[in-house]
Amino acid sequence: MVDYLESAIARGMTEFGVSDHGPAYFLPGDHPLPGTQMAGSELSRYVDEALCHQEDYADRIAVKVGLEADFIEGQEAVLGRVLEAHPFDYVLGSVHYVGNASVFSRARWQTERAEDTYAEYYRLVQLAAASGLFDSLSHLTVIEAYGPPVGDDLVTRLYAPVARAVAASGCTVEINTSGYRKMGGDEPFPNRRMLRELIACGVPLTFGADSHRPDEVGFGRERAAALLHELGVRTDAPQRVSTRRGSLLAFRTR
Ligand SMILES: [Zn+2]
């Protein structure tokens, strides 16, 4: 954590959120997904460590104590209990699973139709927004980067309701630059077409590099800012936007 904070300070940041992958609370056992998610029993230690750094670094950078949490339909109450047990400044909501497969899976496309799976993904995103569990929704549209392209008409049909639902929920959306590191690499998550819809609905956008290494902190922020500028969003002065648990720095879109 210290390495990430030092990296953020070296890059001139004034505020930095830590948001490790929370436990896989929706599977049995304490540590069902080692290597990608922390054990349930590690969560308290993670939060305590982040709170310590928040205090220690207070005069150098504002540290927000966060978590990236999976949204699983039907498990909202379970997640709610996990989150309420800790004083998070913010929680990122992620749809990582559609059906029984990960959004990063490529094998699924041998048996699934993109139209159906994308529609299901965006239905879950809308439920995640409306759940009241999250402050920001992470890496929207990621599933499409790992799946087959679909026609413009489908995109139009799917995206507008998502943008309206997110706007109504009061959630912010993370502009996540890991899209520039993965796959063809020319779009962030959400992709620019989804960003256009979200901006049209006035959804504030937080910045996240999805850094999994300290040198990825702030990755692609100039590029993301240039894209937002092109889409008509002011990026020179991010503002504090109220969220469910408090506030986050975000680019306002209205
Ligand atoms: Zn994620």
Side-chain angles (χ1 to χ4, degrees), residues 1-9 16-21 38 42-54 57 61 63-67 88 211-214 217:
M1 240 182 247
V2 164
D3 292 341
Y4 286 82
L5 292 172
E6 292 294 341
S7 179
I9 291 166
F16 183 78
V18 293
S19 49
D20 205 341
H21 296 155
M38 68 178 77
E42 288 177 306
L43 183 56
S44 293
R45 191 152 52 86
Y46 160 78
V47 173
D48 288 348
E49 187 181 335
L51 286 168
C52 273
H53 295 318
Q54 188 175 56
Y57 276 84
I61 191 166
V63 177
K64 294 269 184 188
V65 181
L67 193 74
F88 292 113
S211 39
H212 283 61
R213 297 194 325 234
V217 169

Side-chain angles (χ1 to χ4, degrees), residues 4 93 104-105 163 169 176 203 239:
Y4 286 82
F104 306 109
S105 159
S169 76
N176 179 314
V203 175
Q239 291 177 30

Side-chain angles (χ1 to χ4, degrees), residues 211-228:
S211 39
H212 283 61
R213 297 194 325 234
D215 66 359
E216 288 172 343
V217 169
F219 171 85
R221 60 179 166 161
E222 294 81 9
R223 207 170 162 188
L227 172 59
L228 290 179

Side-chain angles (χ1 to χ4, degrees), residues 21 68 70 94-96 104 138-139 176 210 212:
H21 296 155
E68 179 181 1
D70 291 284
S94 293
V95 175
H96 285 133
F104 306 109
S138 26
H139 52 61
N176 179 314
D210 211 325
H212 283 61

Side-chain angles (χ1 to χ4, degrees), residues 23-193:
Y25 63 89
F26 48 92
L27 294 174
D30 180 47
H31 203 185
L33 297 175
T36 52
Q37 302 188 223
M38 68 178 77
S41 59
E42 288 177 306
L43 183 56
S44 293
R45 191 152 52 86
Y46 160 78
V47 173
D48 288 348
E49 187 181 335
L51 286 168
C52 273
H53 295 318
Q54 188 175 56
E55 203 179 309
D56 292 348
Y57 276 84
D59 57 348
R60 297 174 70 199
I61 191 166
V63 177
K64 294 269 184 188
V65 181
L67 193 74
E68 179 181 1
D70 291 284
F71 176 78
I72 305 286
E73 185 178 19
Q75 299 284 315
E76 293 88 342
V78 181
L79 177 58
R81 285 195 292 276
V82 171
L83 299 178
E84 274 159 28
H86 303 280
F88 292 113
D89 293 318
Y90 73 104
V91 176
L92 297 176
S94 293
V95 175
H96 285 133
Y97 301 96
V98 178
N100 288 320
S102 154
V103 294
F104 306 109
S105 159
R106 289 173 177 287
R108 72 186 312 149
W109 304 118
Q110 290 166 11
T111 53
E112 295 180 23
R113 282 179 2 128
E115 292 87 326
D116 302 334
T117 305
Y118 294 172
E120 174 64 0
Y121 171 78
Y122 288 114
R123 186 184 71 82
L124 294 172
V125 167
Q126 291 179 59
L127 288 182
S131 71
L133 292 163
F134 307 117
D135 301 271
S136 190
L137 299 173
S138 26
H139 52 61
L140 296 194
T141 76
V142 67
I143 193 167
E144 294 186 53
Y146 290 82
V150 291
D152 288 355
D153 52 329
L154 181 75
V155 167
T156 311
R157 193 146 44 83
L158 291 176
Y159 285 12
V162 172
R164 283 197 300 270
V166 174
S169 76
C171 255
T172 64
V173 165
E174 170 204 51
I175 177 161
N176 179 314
T177 53
S178 72
Y180 291 138
R181 296 196 293 269
K182 295 172 181 171
M183 316 313 302
D186 59 345
E187 298 235 69
F189 304 130
N191 63 34
R192 74 175 62 208
R193 297 184 60 174

